[in-house]
Amino acid sequence: MKRLFLMMLLGICLLAAVLVTRAVGFSSRQVTPEAAAPFSVDADAAAVRLAGALRLKTLAASEGRPAEDAAFAALHDYLREHFPRVHAELRREPQGAHSVLYTWPGTDASLRPVLLMGHLDVVPVEPGTEGTWTRPPFSGDIADGYVWGRGALDDKGSVLAILEAVEALLAAGHRPKRTVLFAFGADEEVGGLGAEAMAKLLRERGVTLESVLDEGGMMLTGTVPGVKAPVAVVGVAEKGMVSVELVAEGEGGHSSMPPRQTAVGVLSRAVSRLEEEPMPAELRGGSRALFDFVGPEMPFGMRLVFANLWLFEPLVVRQLAARPSTNAAVRTTTAATMFEGSVKDNVLPARARAVVNFRTLPGDTVQGVLEHVRRVVDDPRVKVGTLGFISEASPVSRTDTEAWSVLQRSIRQVFPETLVAPYLMVGATDARHFAGLSDSVYRFMPLHLEREDLARLHGRDERVSIQGYAKAVRFYAQYLRNATH
Ligand SMILES: [Zn+2]
C-alpha cells in the first residue's frame, strides 16, 4: 500500500516536472526588429484625402438594387486626381465592374510578386438608422480627431492608406526589387466577383505570389485573457460556409383531423438533433497557432496550460466551446436560421422547409457537413440539399515563411508595443480567392481598435482616428519596403 502511494507520488512529481519544464521552455515567438526607416506622414492632409473618398457612396449591387455606378466612377477619378504618381508609374487594369488591379513593376523579375488587397465598396447603412449616427454616414466629416463615415474602417481606409504609402514611396524615389500588385475589389461585401476575376487573371498569367495581405484582423487590447499588451491578430485562414436546406413533405389538408406528426414536426426533430450534436470541436485551423504565439506571453499558470496542450487540450477546447464567440473558433458551427411550414394556422403543411447555416472550420468540408447532417438527422422523410452561396474553408497559411516574418517584423517596427499572433477569421474576405496562388495569405489591418469599436464595423458611427490612420499609412510603407527589397 505504502509502495503504491510512493509510486503515485513519484508519478505526480514527474508529471509536474514535465509540465513546469515545458512552461519554462515555452519561449516567446515575438521578434525585436531593427528600427523602421524614417517616414513622415502629413496626417491632416491624408485625413482630408480619406474623407473625400468616404463621401462617395460606393455600394455594390445587391438584391434588386443595382451598383452605384456613378459613385464608383467618381471614386476612380478621385484616386487618379489625388494619387498622381501612382497613376503615372503603376500599370492600371480595370477589372469587371469597377474593380482594379495595379502593378508596380520590380527591378528583379525573377522574384515572385507580393499582393496587397482592399475593397472599394462599402455596406449600406441600415435604413432608418441614418439619424442615429453622430455624423451623417457619408459626410466624411473630420471632427474630434476622427474621420467619420461608412468605409473608414471597412475598407476604404485600407485602400487609401495603401495608396498614400505608395505615393510617398514613389516621391522618395523608392524602387521595389520585387513587383507589387494591388487588387482592389468593388464587390467584396456581396461575394467578391471582382477579386475572383483578378485571381483568375493572375492564374492565367502563370503568376504565383510571395504573399497576399488583405483586410482582416486588427490590433485589439483585452481580448486575450491574461495578456495586457495589444495583440495584432493576423488571419491565416478563414472559415467556409454552406447553408443546408431540409425539406419534409406531408399530406396537407385541414388541421381538424391531423396525423400524429406533421411535416413541421418532422423537421423540428431534425433541427433539434442537429443542434444537440454539432460537429466536433478541436484546436486547429489557425486557432492552435494563436495560442502558440500568445501562450508564452501569458502569466505562468496559463502558460503552463498552453505549453502542455498534449495534456490540457480537451480542457481548453471545452472552455472555448462554452461561449459563442470562441466556439466559432474551434468548430464548424450550426445555426438554424429559417423555418417555413403552412401558410395558414388551420392548414396542414404539405411541405416544410428549414435552413441551417454551417460555418466550416478549415479541414472540414461542405461534403463532410452534408454527411454529418444526414447521419445526425437519420430520417428518410427529410430531404437534405444545399442552398445558395457555398464556400469551402480556406487552407491555413504558414507562419514559418519569410513572408510571415516580413509581416511580423513590419507590425513590430511600427507598433513595437504590440504582440503579433495568427488566428482564424470567422468571416469571409476577398483573400480567399487567392489561396491557390500563395501559401502565405494574411488578413490584417494596421488599426488599433477598442472593444467597443468592433460594433462600428457594418454598424453605426464608423470612424477612424486621424493619428491611427497616419500610423496605418506608415505601416504600409514599412511593409512595402520590407517586402520588396
Ligand atoms: Zn471589408
Side-chain angles (χ1 to χ4, degrees), residues 233-273:
V233 286
V234 177
V236 288
E238 60 190 75
K239 294 184 91 174
M241 177 176 110
V242 58
S243 289
V244 174
E245 187 182 52
L246 306 173
V247 174
E249 265 153 26
E251 284 296 310
H254 198 273
S255 65
S256 56
M257 287 188 290
R260 207 177 55 81
Q261 193 179 37
T262 71
V264 166
V266 170
L267 273 197
S268 305
R269 197 174 68 154
V271 169
S272 148
R273 282 180 171 173

Side-chain angles (χ1 to χ4, degrees), residues 111-449:
L111 296 174
R112 292 184 301 184
V114 292
L115 172 70
L116 279 77
M117 301 178 63
H119 61 91
L120 305 167
D121 57 314
V122 295
V123 288
V125 174
E126 212 177 307
T129 67
E130 295 89 346
T132 68
W133 285 56
T134 306
R135 302 268 163 177
F138 293 95
S139 67
D141 280 351
I142 298 178
D144 311 323
Y146 293 92
V147 184
W148 297 75
R150 177 60 91 218
L153 300 170
D154 182 11
D155 183 36
K156 277 183 192 160
S158 300
V159 174
L160 273 279
I162 289 170
L163 292 173
E164 290 282 350
V166 180
E167 186 78 8
L169 288 173
L170 284 167
H174 180 78
R175 306 257 349 242
K177 225 165 129 185
R178 193 189 285 284
T179 294
V180 193
L181 303 170
F182 303 91
F184 300 139
D187 56 2
E188 192 273 345
E189 301 289 2
V190 295
L193 289 177
E196 198 178 354
M198 290 188 275
K200 185 163 165 269
L201 179 73
L202 295 183
R203 209 170 293 125
E204 283 164 6
R205 290 179 179 170
V207 175
T208 57
L209 298 166
E210 170 73 5
S211 62
V212 176
L213 180 62
D214 193 7
E215 63 170 338
M218 297 184 171
M219 290 174 284
L220 294 159
T221 307
T223 45
V224 182
V227 177
K228 285 199 191 73
V231 181
V233 286
V234 177
V236 288
E238 60 190 75
K239 294 184 91 174
M241 177 176 110
V242 58
S243 289
V244 174
E245 187 182 52
L246 306 173
V247 174
E249 265 153 26
E251 284 296 310
H254 198 273
S255 65
S256 56
M257 287 188 290
R260 207 177 55 81
Q261 193 179 37
T262 71
V264 166
V266 170
L267 273 197
S268 305
R269 197 174 68 154
V271 169
S272 148
R273 282 180 171 173
L274 288 172
E275 283 186 339
E276 267 157 39
E277 193 180 333
M279 291 185 71
E282 223 182 306
L283 259 191
R284 58 175 162 87
S287 291
R288 178 181 283 267
L290 171 70
F291 293 113
D292 290 342
F293 278 75
V294 293
E297 316 302 326
M298 290 174 165
F300 188 78
M302 290 173 75
R303 210 158 79 216
L304 188 91
V305 170
F306 288 104
N308 290 286
L309 284 175
W310 61 275
L311 181 65
F312 295 119
E313 184 171 343
L315 206 79
V316 170
V317 169
R318 202 177 323 141
Q319 283 275 327
L320 294 171
R323 283 174 42 210
S325 61
T326 43
N327 183 46
V330 293
R331 66 151 46 96
T332 294
T333 51
T334 306
T337 52
M338 298 170 79
F339 212 122
E340 292 164 16
S342 155
V343 292
K344 202 165 183 300
D345 63 332
N346 62 358
V347 173
L348 295 170
R351 183 175 185 271
R353 170 181 172 266
V355 178
V356 185
N357 182 252
F358 290 87
R359 301 294 176 115
T360 54
L361 194 66
D364 288 347
T365 60
V366 169
Q367 191 52 41
V369 167
L370 290 172
E371 281 160 20
H372 166 84
V373 170
R374 289 197 183 96
R375 184 181 61 76
V376 172
V377 168
D378 189 25
D379 186 338
R381 294 171 298 174
V382 178
K383 290 194 189 70
V384 176
T386 63
L387 178 78
F389 177 72
I390 292 175
S391 74
E392 292 286 359
S394 77
V396 181
S397 288
R398 295 170 56 174
T399 52
D400 59 352
T401 54
E402 176 57 19
W404 169 264
S405 149
V406 161
L407 177 59
Q408 194 183 14
R409 271 197 334 263
S410 309
I411 297 172
R412 296 271 289 180
Q413 281 175 315
V414 181
F415 309 98
E417 70 292 353
T418 300
L419 304 172
V420 180
Y423 87 120
L424 167 69
M425 278 192 69
V426 297
T429 70
D430 268 350
R432 70 181 183 282
H433 300 297
F434 293 83
L437 293 168
S438 177
D439 58 5
S440 302
V441 178
Y442 305 121
R443 302 156 182 86
F444 172 69
M445 295 161 105
L447 293 173
H448 187 269
L449 292 196

